[in-house]
Amino acid sequence: MEKTFIILKPDCMEKGLAGQVLSRFEKEGFAIVASKMSKLGSEILREHYAHVADKPFFPEIEAFMSSRPVIFVALQGENVIARVRELLGPTDSTKAPAGTIRGDFGTDMMRNVVHASDGPETAAAELKRFFAEGEIYA
């Protein structure tokens, strides 16, 4: 069974969509094997977004992602990484079709409700970054 990592982002939390988003994942047959709420700080955001931390738009990402507590979730299921990304739709919510999570709830490229790992290596690194050993129950 494959695992993936998601963050229910500040816009998801602000709009009260956490339950609806998690419900969509569960309806697909994915198991929630870890979850916790946290407020993201600069250090972990710089690590998580290392690939864009030196870009001029990073301060906007940092301000948004640290604006309120978020929920980290580890999901497990068959082909979960690709299937979650399919459920989410494109990163840019304005291009996401209706029926996808981002198409239904997102507003733009950054306020797109959920971050999800994009591959097995990324998922492993992100799960390790956000969950301590023993916090994932699978």
Side-chain angles (χ1 to χ4, degrees), residues 108-122:
D108 58 38
M109 187 77 155
M110 185 171 15
R111 287 164 184 79
N112 60 8
V113 188
V114 176
H115 161 82
S117 301
D118 62 4
E121 296 81 19
T122 306

Side-chain angles (χ1 to χ4, degrees), residues 9 30 39-40 58 62 67 122:
K9 294 170 79 171
F30 304 135
K39 191 141 182 356
L40 294 166
F58 178 74
E62 186 175 28
S67 66
T122 306

Side-chain angles (χ1 to χ4, degrees), residues 12-64:
C12 181
M13 303 305 292
E14 181 180 5
K15 294 175 183 178
L17 298 171
Q20 289 182 66
V21 171
L22 291 173
S23 177
R24 288 194 186 192
F25 294 141
E26 287 184 315
K27 284 178 183 171
E28 283 295 311
F30 304 135
I32 297 170
V33 294
S35 68
K36 65 181 173 182
M37 181 178 270
S38 183
K39 191 141 182 356
L40 294 166
S42 290
E43 187 177 327
I44 199 157
L45 284 168
R46 287 198 172 277
E47 182 182 340
H48 185 64
Y49 289 105
H51 60 289
V52 295
D54 61 343
K55 304 289 186 201
F57 56 83
F58 178 74
E60 186 181 355
I61 293 172
E62 186 175 28
F64 170 65

Side-chain angles (χ1 to χ4, degrees), residues 73-112:
V73 179
L75 296 176
Q76 180 174 284
E78 195 169 316
N79 201 24
V80 70
I81 295 169
R83 289 175 57 208
V84 162
R85 295 188 64 80
E86 194 175 299
L87 281 172
L88 292 178
T91 302
D92 185 347
S93 296
T94 64
K95 295 178 179 161
T100 64
I101 291 170
R102 291 175 174 152
D104 292 349
F105 304 126
T107 56
D108 58 38
M109 187 77 155
M110 185 171 15
R111 287 164 184 79
N112 60 8

